Amino acid sequence: MLNIWQIKTTMIRLFDQLPLYVRFGLAFLLPVLVIAWVTASNILQLSTSVSQIDRLKSNLALTVDAGQLVGNLQDERGYSVLRLKTGASAFGQRLQQSQQRTDTVLAALEQRLDSTTSAHRQSATYKNLSEILRDLSQLSEIRSQITTATINSNEVIAFYSKPIAAFND
């Protein structure tokens, strides 16, 4: 039975018989493997970080567009109620301008949602905005009812307040 001392001596003798370049290669193999491992680990970590930054950037852009839409919807809600309650043509003109601004911002938000990558479409921000935009699909119908005054101000407030409240949640 071989003891540890004999195994150790045999290993050292075998190592001493190896050419010098093999001994240096074996001595530097471990540090090279460690450096390769750390490098690969850092590359994976950076890749994950870049992906998270892209997702945050996409969500931030969507949130900025949504914030602009909320402001325009609030203006449009206010002018709609004033137009219905007073019937003044000045409010009708301002309402029309507000509707045009809302349409511009809404189109920009829809375009940004459409250009969102499939990986980012799983985010809560994307899903919430998509659902809210579905609620706004009746916007043109509500606008025509406001123009013809076939809707009351409480219904207008309720319609516009729903997506505004959802944006704020």
Side-chain angles (χ1 to χ4, degrees), residues 24-169:
F24 274 118
L26 289 174
F28 288 114
L29 182 63
L30 182 62
V32 168
L33 288 176
V34 168
I35 290 171
W37 178 264
V38 169
T39 301
S41 174
N42 285 340
I43 289 172
L44 290 175
Q45 191 175 23
L46 283 173
S47 174
T48 303
S49 296
V50 166
S51 174
Q52 289 173 343
I53 288 171
D54 285 345
R55 193 171 347 163
L56 287 172
K57 194 168 107 178
S58 174
N59 284 343
L60 179 63
L62 287 172
T63 303
V64 168
D65 286 350
Q68 291 175 343
L69 182 60
V70 166
N72 287 316
L73 285 172
Q74 289 171 335
D75 287 346
E76 188 173 330
R77 175 181 61 188
Y79 288 129
S80 296
V81 170
L82 287 171
R83 170 81 162 80
L84 287 172
K85 292 218 180 227
T86 65
S89 62
F91 292 122
Q93 200 172 32
R94 289 184 182 169
L95 173 61
Q96 190 175 33
Q97 292 169 350
S98 178
Q99 288 173 343
Q100 289 171 350
R101 286 191 304 269
T102 299
D103 288 341
T104 301
V105 173
L106 185 60
L109 180 60
E110 287 173 338
Q111 191 273 331
R112 190 173 303 273
L113 281 172
D114 289 342
S115 68
T116 302
T117 63
S118 60
H120 296 153
R121 290 181 184 204
Q122 302 306 316
S123 72
T125 303
Y126 179 88
K127 290 178 182 178
N128 289 341
L129 289 176
S130 296
E131 186 176 321
I132 290 167
L133 290 182
R134 272 187 244 113
D135 290 342
L136 287 174
S137 63
Q138 300 172 0
L139 186 60
S140 60
E141 181 183 322
I142 294 296
R143 285 177 175 172
S144 67
Q145 290 176 0
I146 292 168
T147 303
T148 60
T150 57
I151 190 171
N152 68 44
S153 59
N154 290 335
E155 291 171 320
V156 169
I157 291 170
F159 174 78
Y160 283 101
S161 295
K162 183 180 177 189
I164 291 169
F167 278 123
N168 292 330
D169 287 343

